[in-house]
Amino acid sequence: MDKGALAPEGSYIELVVSASKSLIDKSRTEIVDLALAEVREFFPAARAATLLKSTVIKEVHATYSPRPGIDTYRPPQVTPWPRVFLAGDWTATGWPATMEGAVRSGYLAAQALTNAAGLTDKKFLAPDLPASGLMRLFLP
Ligand SMILES: Cc1cc2nc3c(=O)[nH]c(=O)nc-3n(C[C@H](O)[C@H](O)[C@H](O)COP(=O)(O)OP(=O)(O)OC[C@H]3O[C@@H](n4cnc5c(N)ncnc54)[C@H](O)[C@@H]3O)c2cc1C
């Protein structure tokens, strides 16, 4: 849940709920009521504030829910056309279709392009950070 800035003379607040399967069938009024209750719970100063206007945007295609084997359908950045390269969160990045995946796809596309141009000394993709803490338990 992201929080907008609270200014003394008025404010604009934006909330994002990911994986909101339990909310999607609710009415906009119900969603606003739920959100407002949480804002007031976590930010006591908001209890005295009056909501003047609200908008609810339901986006069920924000990110896809991957199933086993879906990676075989994601195309690489290199295409059969030597001057056409693909970038986008939906391409084969090894990462989910998120902002991080989209950035990675851009690096991979740039790498494919420079490789094709013979500029093999150019490196774009930063290596992953080493796993620390509990994440080490998930390493193969
Ligand atoms: C509501 C919502 C919430 C999200 N929340 C998160 C989040 O919290 N964390 C996270 O990591 N990811 C989140 N995502 C996913 C994330 O936004 C995407 O994974 C990421 O933006 C994909 O980047 P992209 O560059 O591949 O594509 P996009 O960001 O979709 O960029 C593609 C661009 O191409 C343009 N375009 C399309 N067709 C044409 C055309 N024919 N000619 C010219 N331009 C064209 C589009 O207008 C667009 O600007 C969210 C997505 C949505 C919709």
Side-chain angles (χ1 to χ4, degrees):
M1 189 177 276
D2 292 340
K3 304 167 287 295
L6 287 172
E9 298 83 19
S11 66
Y12 169 95
I13 186 165
E14 184 175 302
L15 309 172
V16 179
V17 184
S18 295
S20 52
K21 290 188 174 72
S22 63
L23 293 183
I24 212 71
D25 291 331
K26 293 193 187 300
S27 72
R28 284 171 163 71
T29 308
E30 284 176 298
I31 292 171
V32 170
D33 288 347
L34 278 169
L36 209 50
E38 285 197 9
V39 167
R40 287 177 172 151
E41 182 180 349
F42 289 101
F43 301 98
R47 292 173 195 163
T50 307
L51 179 66
L52 298 178
K53 186 180 173 191
S54 66
T55 304
V56 175
I57 299 170
K58 298 183 184 183
E59 172 51 86
V60 293
H61 298 119
T63 52
Y64 61 72
S65 300
R67 293 183 176 172
I70 199 165
D71 271 352
T72 57
Y73 296 101
R74 298 171 82 184
Q77 288 70 36
V78 176
T79 72
W81 303 280
R83 295 188 180 191
V84 177
F85 301 89
L86 300 178
D89 64 355
W90 50 278
T91 61
T93 62
W95 284 25
T98 59
M99 287 184 275
E100 293 85 350
V103 169
R104 194 175 171 91
S105 81
Y107 287 146
L108 291 168
Q111 190 71 65
L113 194 154
T114 50
N115 286 353
L119 304 169
T120 48
D121 58 321
K122 302 273 183 212
K123 299 290 173 225
F124 295 91
L125 198 60
D128 291 346
L129 292 173
S132 61
L134 281 178
M135 288 312 292
R136 283 176 299 177
L137 301 176
F138 296 99
L139 288 178

PDB file of all heavy atoms in Angstrom, residues 2 16-18 57-64 87-91 96-103 105, ligand 1:
ATOM      1  N   ASP A   2       0.789   2.088  -1.042  1.00  0.00           N
ATOM      2  CA  ASP A   2       1.579   3.313  -1.096  1.00  0.00           C
ATOM      3  C   ASP A   2       0.800   4.452  -0.445  1.00  0.00           C
ATOM      4  O   ASP A   2      -0.418   4.504  -0.517  1.00  0.00           O
ATOM      5  CB  ASP A   2       1.856   3.709  -2.560  1.00  0.00           C
ATOM      6  CG  ASP A   2       2.787   2.730  -3.223  1.00  0.00           C
ATOM      7  OD1 ASP A   2       3.483   2.015  -2.489  1.00  0.00           O
ATOM      8  OD2 ASP A   2       2.805   2.681  -4.455  1.00  0.00           O
ATOM      9  N   VAL A  16      -2.467   1.581  -3.222  1.00  0.00           N
ATOM     10  CA  VAL A  16      -2.391   0.496  -4.200  1.00  0.00           C
ATOM     11  C   VAL A  16      -2.473  -0.826  -3.452  1.00  0.00           C
ATOM     12  O   VAL A  16      -1.723  -1.041  -2.498  1.00  0.00           O
ATOM     13  CB  VAL A  16      -1.079   0.559  -5.009  1.00  0.00           C
ATOM     14  CG1 VAL A  16      -1.022  -0.592  -6.011  1.00  0.00           C
ATOM     15  CG2 VAL A  16      -0.949   1.890  -5.720  1.00  0.00           C
ATOM     16  N   VAL A  17      -3.386  -1.669  -3.846  1.00  0.00           N
ATOM     17  CA  VAL A  17      -3.515  -2.991  -3.224  1.00  0.00           C
ATOM     18  C   VAL A  17      -3.174  -4.036  -4.278  1.00  0.00           C
ATOM     19  O   VAL A  17      -3.872  -4.162  -5.283  1.00  0.00           O
ATOM     20  CB  VAL A  17      -4.940  -3.230  -2.690  1.00  0.00           C
ATOM     21  CG1 VAL A  17      -5.020  -4.573  -1.971  1.00  0.00           C
ATOM     22  CG2 VAL A  17      -5.378  -2.097  -1.780  1.00  0.00           C
ATOM     23  N   SER A  18      -2.096  -4.764  -4.050  1.00  0.00           N
ATOM     24  CA  SER A  18      -1.705  -5.818  -4.986  1.00  0.00           C
ATOM     25  C   SER A  18      -2.418  -7.122  -4.636  1.00  0.00           C
ATOM     26  O   SER A  18      -2.831  -7.312  -3.498  1.00  0.00           O
ATOM     27  CB  SER A  18      -0.191  -6.035  -4.938  1.00  0.00           C
ATOM     28  OG  SER A  18       0.469  -4.886  -5.393  1.00  0.00           O
ATOM     29  N   ILE A  57      -9.841   2.581  -9.111  1.00  0.00           N
ATOM     30  CA  ILE A  57      -9.491   1.966 -10.400  1.00  0.00           C
ATOM     31  C   ILE A  57      -9.204   0.498 -10.140  1.00  0.00           C
ATOM     32  O   ILE A  57      -8.321   0.166  -9.338  1.00  0.00           O
ATOM     33  CB  ILE A  57      -8.258   2.650 -11.032  1.00  0.00           C
ATOM     34  CG1 ILE A  57      -8.561   4.123 -11.291  1.00  0.00           C
ATOM     35  CG2 ILE A  57      -7.847   1.939 -12.321  1.00  0.00           C
ATOM     36  CD1 ILE A  57      -7.344   4.947 -11.691  1.00  0.00           C
ATOM     37  N   LYS A  58      -9.954  -0.378 -10.783  1.00  0.00           N
ATOM     38  CA  LYS A  58      -9.709  -1.821 -10.643  1.00  0.00           C
ATOM     39  C   LYS A  58      -8.941  -2.286 -11.873  1.00  0.00           C
ATOM     40  O   LYS A  58      -9.431  -2.140 -12.990  1.00  0.00           O
ATOM     41  CB  LYS A  58     -11.028  -2.585 -10.551  1.00  0.00           C
ATOM     42  CG  LYS A  58     -11.877  -2.229  -9.348  1.00  0.00           C
ATOM     43  CD  LYS A  58     -13.128  -3.099  -9.318  1.00  0.00           C
ATOM     44  CE  LYS A  58     -14.051  -2.699  -8.191  1.00  0.00           C
ATOM     45  NZ  LYS A  58     -15.241  -3.566  -8.098  1.00  0.00           N
ATOM     46  N   GLU A  59      -7.739  -2.791 -11.660  1.00  0.00           N
ATOM     47  CA  GLU A  59      -6.909  -3.263 -12.786  1.00  0.00           C
ATOM     48  C   GLU A  59      -6.501  -4.702 -12.493  1.00  0.00           C
ATOM     49  O   GLU A  59      -5.620  -4.945 -11.660  1.00  0.00           O
ATOM     50  CB  GLU A  59      -5.679  -2.360 -12.949  1.00  0.00           C
ATOM     51  CG  GLU A  59      -4.660  -2.849 -13.952  1.00  0.00           C
ATOM     52  CD  GLU A  59      -5.266  -3.189 -15.304  1.00  0.00           C
ATOM     53  OE1 GLU A  59      -5.402  -2.273 -16.119  1.00  0.00           O
ATOM     54  OE2 GLU A  59      -5.607  -4.368 -15.534  1.00  0.00           O
ATOM     55  N   VAL A  60      -7.202  -5.645 -13.140  1.00  0.00           N
ATOM     56  CA  VAL A  60      -6.918  -7.057 -12.831  1.00  0.00           C
ATOM     57  C   VAL A  60      -5.764  -7.612 -13.673  1.00  0.00           C
ATOM     58  O   VAL A  60      -5.358  -8.747 -13.486  1.00  0.00           O
ATOM     59  CB  VAL A  60      -8.164  -7.953 -13.030  1.00  0.00           C
ATOM     60  CG1 VAL A  60      -9.235  -7.617 -12.013  1.00  0.00           C
ATOM     61  CG2 VAL A  60      -8.689  -7.839 -14.449  1.00  0.00           C
ATOM     62  N   HIS A  61      -5.264  -6.809 -14.600  1.00  0.00           N
ATOM     63  CA  HIS A  61      -4.173  -7.287 -15.444  1.00  0.00           C
ATOM     64  C   HIS A  61      -2.846  -6.606 -15.110  1.00  0.00           C
ATOM     65  O   HIS A  61      -1.963  -6.511 -15.966  1.00  0.00           O
ATOM     66  CB  HIS A  61      -4.518  -7.064 -16.927  1.00  0.00           C
ATOM     67  CG  HIS A  61      -5.737  -7.817 -17.352  1.00  0.00           C
ATOM     68  ND1 HIS A  61      -6.866  -7.203 -17.827  1.00  0.00           N
ATOM     69  CD2 HIS A  61      -5.997  -9.136 -17.320  1.00  0.00           C
ATOM     70  CE1 HIS A  61      -7.777  -8.128 -18.088  1.00  0.00           C
ATOM     71  NE2 HIS A  61      -7.278  -9.305 -17.795  1.00  0.00           N
ATOM     72  N   ALA A  62      -2.710  -6.089 -13.902  1.00  0.00           N
ATOM     73  CA  ALA A  62      -1.484  -5.376 -13.518  1.00  0.00           C
ATOM     74  C   ALA A  62      -0.268  -6.272 -13.705  1.00  0.00           C
ATOM     75  O   ALA A  62       0.711  -5.897 -14.334  1.00  0.00           O
ATOM     76  CB  ALA A  62      -1.576  -4.888 -12.078  1.00  0.00           C
ATOM     77  N   THR A  63      -0.327  -7.438 -13.143  1.00  0.00           N
ATOM     78  CA  THR A  63       0.735  -8.428 -13.365  1.00  0.00           C
ATOM     79  C   THR A  63       0.042  -9.770 -13.538  1.00  0.00           C
ATOM     80  O   THR A  63      -1.035  -9.988 -12.993  1.00  0.00           O
ATOM     81  CB  THR A  63       1.712  -8.540 -12.174  1.00  0.00           C
ATOM     82  OG1 THR A  63       0.950  -8.752 -10.990  1.00  0.00           O
ATOM     83  CG2 THR A  63       2.548  -7.279 -12.009  1.00  0.00           C
ATOM     84  N   TYR A  64       0.641 -10.636 -14.307  1.00  0.00           N
ATOM     85  CA  TYR A  64      -0.021 -11.925 -14.481  1.00  0.00           C
ATOM     86  C   TYR A  64       0.379 -12.887 -13.372  1.00  0.00           C
ATOM     87  O   TYR A  64       1.405 -12.720 -12.719  1.00  0.00           O
ATOM     88  CB  TYR A  64       0.237 -12.512 -15.868  1.00  0.00           C
ATOM     89  CG  TYR A  64       1.676 -12.808 -16.221  1.00  0.00           C
ATOM     90  CD1 TYR A  64       2.342 -13.889 -15.624  1.00  0.00           C
ATOM     91  CD2 TYR A  64       2.349 -12.055 -17.164  1.00  0.00           C
ATOM     92  CE1 TYR A  64       3.647 -14.190 -15.965  1.00  0.00           C
ATOM     93  CE2 TYR A  64       3.657 -12.345 -17.498  1.00  0.00           C
ATOM     94  CZ  TYR A  64       4.299 -13.407 -16.890  1.00  0.00           C
ATOM     95  OH  TYR A  64       5.584 -13.703 -17.219  1.00  0.00           O
ATOM     96  N   ALA A  87      11.971  -5.860 -25.995  1.00  0.00           N
ATOM     97  CA  ALA A  87      12.098  -5.524 -24.577  1.00  0.00           C
ATOM     98  C   ALA A  87      10.691  -5.428 -24.008  1.00  0.00           C
ATOM     99  O   ALA A  87       9.744  -5.103 -24.720  1.00  0.00           O
ATOM    100  CB  ALA A  87      12.838  -4.201 -24.398  1.00  0.00           C
ATOM    101  N   GLY A  88      10.540  -5.731 -22.771  1.00  0.00           N
ATOM    102  CA  GLY A  88       9.225  -5.670 -22.129  1.00  0.00           C
ATOM    103  C   GLY A  88       9.161  -6.723 -21.047  1.00  0.00           C
ATOM    104  O   GLY A  88       9.872  -7.729 -21.105  1.00  0.00           O
ATOM    105  N   ASP A  89       8.299  -6.475 -20.062  1.00  0.00           N
ATOM    106  CA  ASP A  89       8.246  -7.410 -18.939  1.00  0.00           C
ATOM    107  C   ASP A  89       7.806  -8.805 -19.345  1.00  0.00           C
ATOM    108  O   ASP A  89       8.031  -9.774 -18.633  1.00  0.00           O
ATOM    109  CB  ASP A  89       7.349  -6.854 -17.824  1.00  0.00           C
ATOM    110  CG  ASP A  89       5.896  -6.696 -18.253  1.00  0.00           C
ATOM    111  OD1 ASP A  89       5.575  -6.914 -19.434  1.00  0.00           O
ATOM    112  OD2 ASP A  89       5.068  -6.345 -17.374  1.00  0.00           O
ATOM    113  N   TRP A  90       7.168  -8.903 -20.514  1.00  0.00           N
ATOM    114  CA  TRP A  90       6.637 -10.185 -20.999  1.00  0.00           C
ATOM    115  C   TRP A  90       7.688 -11.026 -21.717  1.00  0.00           C
ATOM    116  O   TRP A  90       7.444 -12.184 -22.034  1.00  0.00           O
ATOM    117  CB  TRP A  90       5.456  -9.912 -21.948  1.00  0.00           C
ATOM    118  CG  TRP A  90       5.808  -8.909 -23.001  1.00  0.00           C
ATOM    119  CD1 TRP A  90       5.807  -7.554 -22.865  1.00  0.00           C
ATOM    120  CD2 TRP A  90       6.253  -9.175 -24.328  1.00  0.00           C
ATOM    121  NE1 TRP A  90       6.233  -6.948 -24.024  1.00  0.00           N
ATOM    122  CE2 TRP A  90       6.502  -7.922 -24.947  1.00  0.00           C
ATOM    123  CE3 TRP A  90       6.462 -10.329 -25.076  1.00  0.00           C
ATOM    124  CZ2 TRP A  90       6.950  -7.801 -26.253  1.00  0.00           C
ATOM    125  CZ3 TRP A  90       6.904 -10.212 -26.375  1.00  0.00           C
ATOM    126  CH2 TRP A  90       7.154  -8.948 -26.949  1.00  0.00           C
ATOM    127  N   THR A  91       8.859 -10.459 -21.983  1.00  0.00           N
ATOM    128  CA  THR A  91       9.901 -11.229 -22.671  1.00  0.00           C
ATOM    129  C   THR A  91      10.628 -12.128 -21.659  1.00  0.00           C
ATOM    130  O   THR A  91      10.422 -12.023 -20.450  1.00  0.00           O
ATOM    131  CB  THR A  91      10.913 -10.297 -23.362  1.00  0.00           C
ATOM    132  OG1 THR A  91      11.548  -9.483 -22.370  1.00  0.00           O
ATOM    133  CG2 THR A  91      10.250  -9.405 -24.407  1.00  0.00           C
ATOM    134  N   PRO A  96       9.959 -12.266 -12.844  1.00  0.00           N
ATOM    135  CA  PRO A  96       8.522 -12.060 -13.074  1.00  0.00           C
ATOM    136  C   PRO A  96       8.258 -10.791 -13.892  1.00  0.00           C
ATOM    137  O   PRO A  96       9.149  -9.961 -14.060  1.00  0.00           O
ATOM    138  CB  PRO A  96       7.946 -11.913 -11.656  1.00  0.00           C
ATOM    139  CG  PRO A  96       8.992 -12.420 -10.739  1.00  0.00           C
ATOM    140  CD  PRO A  96      10.309 -12.227 -11.421  1.00  0.00           C
ATOM    141  N   ALA A  97       7.028 -10.664 -14.401  1.00  0.00           N
ATOM    142  CA  ALA A  97       6.655  -9.485 -15.198  1.00  0.00           C
ATOM    143  C   ALA A  97       6.333  -8.324 -14.273  1.00  0.00           C
ATOM    144  O   ALA A  97       5.178  -7.959 -14.063  1.00  0.00           O
ATOM    145  CB  ALA A  97       5.462  -9.821 -16.083  1.00  0.00           C
ATOM    146  N   THR A  98       7.375  -7.741 -13.727  1.00  0.00           N
ATOM    147  CA  THR A  98       7.239  -6.596 -12.828  1.00  0.00           C
ATOM    148  C   THR A  98       8.150  -5.487 -13.343  1.00  0.00           C
ATOM    149  O   THR A  98       8.804  -5.640 -14.379  1.00  0.00           O
ATOM    150  CB  THR A  98       7.692  -6.965 -11.405  1.00  0.00           C
ATOM    151  OG1 THR A  98       9.060  -7.396 -11.488  1.00  0.00           O
ATOM    152  CG2 THR A  98       6.840  -8.068 -10.816  1.00  0.00           C
ATOM    153  N   MET A  99       8.228  -4.396 -12.612  1.00  0.00           N
ATOM    154  CA  MET A  99       9.105  -3.298 -13.032  1.00  0.00           C
ATOM    155  C   MET A  99      10.556  -3.759 -13.122  1.00  0.00           C
ATOM    156  O   MET A  99      11.280  -3.393 -14.042  1.00  0.00           O
ATOM    157  CB  MET A  99       8.962  -2.122 -12.068  1.00  0.00           C
ATOM    158  CG  MET A  99       7.650  -1.403 -12.260  1.00  0.00           C
ATOM    159  SD  MET A  99       7.486   0.038 -11.222  1.00  0.00           S
ATOM    160  CE  MET A  99       6.878  -0.687  -9.717  1.00  0.00           C
ATOM    161  N   GLU A 100      10.960  -4.579 -12.139  1.00  0.00           N
ATOM    162  CA  GLU A 100      12.341  -5.077 -12.160  1.00  0.00           C
ATOM    163  C   GLU A 100      12.577  -5.946 -13.404  1.00  0.00           C
ATOM    164  O   GLU A 100      13.620  -5.859 -14.045  1.00  0.00           O
ATOM    165  CB  GLU A 100      12.645  -5.894 -10.898  1.00  0.00           C
ATOM    166  CG  GLU A 100      12.648  -5.084  -9.614  1.00  0.00           C
ATOM    167  CD  GLU A 100      11.258  -4.915  -8.999  1.00  0.00           C
ATOM    168  OE1 GLU A 100      10.258  -5.271  -9.667  1.00  0.00           O
ATOM    169  OE2 GLU A 100      11.178  -4.420  -7.869  1.00  0.00           O
ATOM    170  N   GLY A 101      11.573  -6.780 -13.730  1.00  0.00           N
ATOM    171  CA  GLY A 101      11.681  -7.626 -14.917  1.00  0.00           C
ATOM    172  C   GLY A 101      11.751  -6.788 -16.180  1.00  0.00           C
ATOM    173  O   GLY A 101      12.490  -7.100 -17.122  1.00  0.00           O
ATOM    174  N   ALA A 102      10.968  -5.701 -16.209  1.00  0.00           N
ATOM    175  CA  ALA A 102      10.961  -4.824 -17.387  1.00  0.00           C
ATOM    176  C   ALA A 102      12.331  -4.164 -17.574  1.00  0.00           C
ATOM    177  O   ALA A 102      12.850  -4.075 -18.695  1.00  0.00           O
ATOM    178  CB  ALA A 102       9.876  -3.763 -17.227  1.00  0.00           C
ATOM    179  N   VAL A 103      12.921  -3.701 -16.464  1.00  0.00           N
ATOM    180  CA  VAL A 103      14.261  -3.078 -16.547  1.00  0.00           C
ATOM    181  C   VAL A 103      15.278  -4.105 -17.046  1.00  0.00           C
ATOM    182  O   VAL A 103      16.097  -3.832 -17.931  1.00  0.00           O
ATOM    183  CB  VAL A 103      14.687  -2.521 -15.170  1.00  0.00           C
ATOM    184  CG1 VAL A 103      16.155  -2.127 -15.169  1.00  0.00           C
ATOM    185  CG2 VAL A 103      13.813  -1.333 -14.791  1.00  0.00           C
ATOM    186  N   SER A 105      14.717  -6.637 -18.880  1.00  0.00           N
ATOM    187  CA  SER A 105      14.497  -6.909 -20.308  1.00  0.00           C
ATOM    188  C   SER A 105      15.172  -5.842 -21.167  1.00  0.00           C
ATOM    189  O   SER A 105      15.686  -6.129 -22.241  1.00  0.00           O
ATOM    190  CB  SER A 105      13.002  -6.970 -20.627  1.00  0.00           C
ATOM    191  OG  SER A 105      12.459  -5.669 -20.784  1.00  0.00           O
TER     192      SER A 105
HETATM  193  C1  LIG B   1      -2.081  -0.950 -11.841  1.00  0.00           C
HETATM  194  C2  LIG B   1      -0.721  -1.594 -11.950  1.00  0.00           C
HETATM  195  C3  LIG B   1       0.037  -1.749 -10.802  1.00  0.00           C
HETATM  196  C4  LIG B   1       1.311  -2.320 -10.873  1.00  0.00           C
HETATM  197  N1  LIG B   1       2.040  -2.426  -9.733  1.00  0.00           N
HETATM  198  C5  LIG B   1       3.294  -2.903  -9.801  1.00  0.00           C
HETATM  199  C6  LIG B   1       4.109  -2.919  -8.634  1.00  0.00           C
HETATM  200  O1  LIG B   1       3.699  -2.526  -7.548  1.00  0.00           O
HETATM  201  N2  LIG B   1       5.375  -3.410  -8.752  1.00  0.00           N
HETATM  202  C7  LIG B   1       5.868  -3.844  -9.948  1.00  0.00           C
HETATM  203  O2  LIG B   1       7.041  -4.232  -9.993  1.00  0.00           O
HETATM  204  N3  LIG B   1       5.110  -3.847 -11.058  1.00  0.00           N
HETATM  205  C8  LIG B   1       3.833  -3.385 -11.025  1.00  0.00           C
HETATM  206  N4  LIG B   1       3.064  -3.365 -12.156  1.00  0.00           N
HETATM  207  C9  LIG B   1       3.621  -3.945 -13.385  1.00  0.00           C
HETATM  208  C10 LIG B   1       4.585  -2.962 -14.045  1.00  0.00           C
HETATM  209  O3  LIG B   1       3.949  -1.704 -14.202  1.00  0.00           O
HETATM  210  C11 LIG B   1       4.972  -3.550 -15.415  1.00  0.00           C
HETATM  211  O4  LIG B   1       5.576  -4.831 -15.202  1.00  0.00           O
HETATM  212  C12 LIG B   1       5.959  -2.655 -16.137  1.00  0.00           C
HETATM  213  O5  LIG B   1       5.490  -1.329 -16.223  1.00  0.00           O
HETATM  214  C13 LIG B   1       6.158  -3.185 -17.543  1.00  0.00           C
HETATM  215  O6  LIG B   1       7.080  -2.333 -18.208  1.00  0.00           O
HETATM  216  P1  LIG B   1       7.216  -2.442 -19.756  1.00  0.00           P
HETATM  217  O7  LIG B   1       8.232  -1.416 -20.147  1.00  0.00           O
HETATM  218  O8  LIG B   1       7.426  -3.867 -20.149  1.00  0.00           O
HETATM  219  O9  LIG B   1       5.779  -2.059 -20.344  1.00  0.00           O
HETATM  220  P2  LIG B   1       4.911  -0.750 -20.132  1.00  0.00           P
HETATM  221  O10 LIG B   1       5.289  -0.026 -18.880  1.00  0.00           O
HETATM  222  O11 LIG B   1       3.499  -1.209 -20.312  1.00  0.00           O
HETATM  223  O12 LIG B   1       5.382   0.172 -21.325  1.00  0.00           O
HETATM  224  C14 LIG B   1       4.961  -0.083 -22.640  1.00  0.00           C
HETATM  225  C15 LIG B   1       4.798   1.260 -23.315  1.00  0.00           C
HETATM  226  O13 LIG B   1       4.604   1.069 -24.710  1.00  0.00           O
HETATM  227  C16 LIG B   1       3.608   1.955 -25.126  1.00  0.00           C
HETATM  228  N5  LIG B   1       3.025   1.397 -26.349  1.00  0.00           N
HETATM  229  C17 LIG B   1       2.210   0.325 -26.493  1.00  0.00           C
HETATM  230  N6  LIG B   1       1.897   0.133 -27.771  1.00  0.00           N
HETATM  231  C18 LIG B   1       2.552   1.084 -28.465  1.00  0.00           C
HETATM  232  C19 LIG B   1       2.641   1.393 -29.848  1.00  0.00           C
HETATM  233  N7  LIG B   1       2.001   0.676 -30.775  1.00  0.00           N
HETATM  234  N8  LIG B   1       3.388   2.450 -30.205  1.00  0.00           N
HETATM  235  C20 LIG B   1       4.058   3.182 -29.293  1.00  0.00           C
HETATM  236  N9  LIG B   1       4.017   2.926 -27.963  1.00  0.00           N
HETATM  237  C21 LIG B   1       3.274   1.891 -27.565  1.00  0.00           C
HETATM  238  C22 LIG B   1       2.624   2.030 -23.978  1.00  0.00           C
HETATM  239  O14 LIG B   1       1.847   3.205 -24.051  1.00  0.00           O
HETATM  240  C23 LIG B   1       3.589   2.031 -22.801  1.00  0.00           C
HETATM  241  O15 LIG B   1       3.992   3.332 -22.443  1.00  0.00           O
HETATM  242  C24 LIG B   1       1.810  -2.781 -12.109  1.00  0.00           C
HETATM  243  C25 LIG B   1       1.029  -2.627 -13.271  1.00  0.00           C
HETATM  244  C26 LIG B   1      -0.204  -2.040 -13.198  1.00  0.00           C
HETATM  245  C27 LIG B   1      -1.027  -1.866 -14.469  1.00  0.00           C
END
